Amino acid sequence: MKTVYKYKIEKKNRQTIEMPSRSQILCLQLQGGCPYIWVAVEPIGSSVNKTFDTYVTGEALPDYPGVYIGTYQIDELVYHVFERF
């Protein structure tokens, strides 16, 4: 049975989050002024480390930044989050 979990996204260039291996990222939004991703997971089984890269508007992106997860705004800055593969 799937369950929705949330994970905090830090305002830094790269972050690794451990989550169940069978997970699907649903969205990225602010809650209480902090960015989070909500993920549908099957909590039974093994875990994996997923890596997320965050770029500020105007910052150079690599040719293949990963899978786009979402964008959020804090303190007049706009951040764009990608899952790295």
Side-chain angles (χ1 to χ4, degrees):
M1 173 184 278
K2 287 192 176 185
T3 304
V4 176
Y5 287 0
K6 76 175 181 180
Y7 299 91
K8 186 173 184 179
I9 295 293
E10 302 293 334
K11 292 188 293 184
K12 59 184 182 180
N13 291 353
R14 180 161 293 158
Q15 174 181 6
T16 301
I17 300 174
E18 183 179 352
M19 60 182 67
S21 59
R22 296 180 68 185
S23 58
Q24 175 189 7
I25 296 170
L26 302 174
C27 71
L28 178 146
Q29 293 186 26
L30 293 178
Q31 182 180 44
C34 296
Y36 290 90
I37 55 172
W38 279 262
V39 181
V41 302
E42 287 197 29
I44 298 172
S46 62
S47 294
V48 295
N49 288 323
K50 294 195 176 206
T51 302
F52 300 91
D53 289 337
T54 300
Y55 302 92
V56 177
T57 295
E59 183 177 2
L61 289 175
D63 289 338
Y64 303 100
V67 175
Y68 175 74
I69 301 301
T71 295
Y72 65 93
Q73 299 178 43
I74 295 179
D75 299 329
E76 299 181 17
L77 290 176
V78 182
Y79 300 86
H80 311 279
V81 179
F82 295 81
E83 183 180 358
R84 185 180 179 89
F85 286 101

